[in-house]
């Protein structure tokens, strides 16, 4: 009788594992549910428009994509709205990744989700006080090619706070700034016969070194979900990024970034981008 019960138990576990679609960065494309980026805990005084090109490689999934981003301050340096989206990506995966993700084709094109974020400045940096920014972000389910594990077919959201403090120095670096990020991330996980929500704690640390018009950012960040009973499910990704920013004129910033997937993010990333000022398109309510 006990053997029969054990057989039923293990059979149920096998069926559950087969039906469970891994809604994580470990089984989807690099733009599906990445570790959220965070800023220097400041809100700009005028509108910024950004474009970036990404190349992900190194672990059986070669992806080339672009990123569009715009941030519009409703109250200069106090309240802003930010929108971003992966406009299009081209992917090509190895046979091993193709089978692991249960994809229908190994190469193709996809378009990403919209992210809409509201940012509110709660504290402004003083002699003792840090900068404190509250972010509220909604991720739509508008991404395509779910069957090939490029983007989720479910929505998500996250709330986080950025805390930043600067120190002026008389050394080679004009300014040293430390930023911490902490929040709550949630997204739906839909599988045959099951509809649950994966909740995660977000975290991150950033160190920014600035000299004249050049700054160097180093960021360690990730999130921890709760669905860990399935081996290698992968809802606890961790990344490490290093980024060089060069300001060519007031408001225009060119940057180069390398990101390494430390855990459950099977990608190396190279990103090249630019941030452009759009002062004439900044709302003026007062």
């Amino acid at each position: 009788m006990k053997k029969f019960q054990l057989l039923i138990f293990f059979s149920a576990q096998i069926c559950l594992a087969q039906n469970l679609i891994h809604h994580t960065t470990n089984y989807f494309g690099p733009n599906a549910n990445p570790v959220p980026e965070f800023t220097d805990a400041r809100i700009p005084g005028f509108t910024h428009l950004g474009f970036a090109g990404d190349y992900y490689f190194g672990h059986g999934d070669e992806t080339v994509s672009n990123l569009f981003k715009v941030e519009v301050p409703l109250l200069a340096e106090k309240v802003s709205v930010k929108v971003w989206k992966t406009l299009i990506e081209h992917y090509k995966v190895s046979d091993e990744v193709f089978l692991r993700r249960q994809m229908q084709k190994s190469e193709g094109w996809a378009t990403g989700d919209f992210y809409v974020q509201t940012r509110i400045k709660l504290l402004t940096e003083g002699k003792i006080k840090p900068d404190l920014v509250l972010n509220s972000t909604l991720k739509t389910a508008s991404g395509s090619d779910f069957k090939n594990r490029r983007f989720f077919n479910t929505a998500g959201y996250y709330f986080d706070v950025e805390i930043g403090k600067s120190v002026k120095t008389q050394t080679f670096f004009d300014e040293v700034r430390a930023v911490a990020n902490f929040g709550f991330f949630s997204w739906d996980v839909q599988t045959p016969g099951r509809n649950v929500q994966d909740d995660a704690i977000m975290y991150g640390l950033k160190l920014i070194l600035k000299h004249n018009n050049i700054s160097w950012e180093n960021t360690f960040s990730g999130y921890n979900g709760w669905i860990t009973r399935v081996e290698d499910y992968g809802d606890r990704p961790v990344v490490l990024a290093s980024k060089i920013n060069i300001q060519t004129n007031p408001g225009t910033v060119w940057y180069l970034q390398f990101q390494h997937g430390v855990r459950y993010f099977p990608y190396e990333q190279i990103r090249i981008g630019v941030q452009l000022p759009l002062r004439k398109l900044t709302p003026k309510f007062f």
Side-chain angles (χ1 to χ4, degrees), residues 124-140:
T124 299
E125 184 176 9
K127 187 175 182 180
I128 298 177
K129 292 188 305 180
D131 283 315
L132 181 64
V133 175
L134 172 65
N135 301 316
S136 174
T137 310
L138 172 67
K139 181 181 82 70
T140 69

Side-chain angles (χ1 to χ4, degrees), residues 130-176:
D131 283 315
L132 181 64
V133 175
L134 172 65
N135 301 316
S136 174
T137 310
L138 172 67
K139 181 181 82 70
T140 69
S142 57
S144 68
D145 218 359
F146 169 77
K147 293 181 179 180
N148 288 299
R149 307 299 182 252
R150 301 316 299 177
F151 293 93
F152 295 177
N153 60 350
T154 60
Y157 63 89
Y158 58 88
F159 301 94
D160 66 293
V161 291
E162 301 172 6
I163 306 171
K165 185 69 176 173
S166 292
V167 176
K168 304 294 183 180
T169 71
Q170 302 298 320
T171 63
F172 176 79
F173 296 108
D174 309 320
E175 177 184 347
V176 177

Side-chain angles (χ1 to χ4, degrees), residues 33-39 84 115 117 119 133-139 156-163 179-187 198-205 219-226 235-239 263:
N33 210 47
V35 175
E37 296 180 355
F38 59 100
T39 73
W84 66 93
Y115 288 78
Q117 182 179 79
R119 310 185 67 217
V133 175
L134 172 65
N135 301 316
S136 174
T137 310
L138 172 67
K139 181 181 82 70
Y157 63 89
Y158 58 88
F159 301 94
D160 66 293
V161 291
E162 301 172 6
I163 306 171
V179 184
N181 180 255
F182 183 79
F184 173 80
F185 190 10
S186 181
W187 65 98
D198 200 348
D199 302 322
I201 298 299
M202 293 168 45
Y203 57 88
L205 293 173
T219 305
F220 177 84
S221 58
Y223 58 81
N224 280 2
W226 67 270
D235 62 349
R236 297 189 171 192
V238 178
V239 297
R263 182 182 69 190

Side-chain angles (χ1 to χ4, degrees), residues 79-120:
V79 179
S80 72
V81 173
K82 183 187 290 188
V83 178
W84 66 93
K85 174 182 173 65
T86 297
L87 297 177
I88 193 169
E89 70 171 29
H90 179 267
Y91 62 90
K92 184 177 181 180
V93 304
S94 66
D95 292 341
E96 180 182 356
V97 171
F98 174 83
L99 293 173
R100 183 170 182 261
R101 297 180 183 176
Q102 302 177 24
M103 299 168 63
Q104 295 184 353
K105 58 181 181 179
S106 61
E107 184 174 0
W109 299 84
T111 184
D113 301 306
F114 273 103
Y115 288 78
V116 181
Q117 182 179 79
T118 300
R119 310 185 67 217
I120 302 174

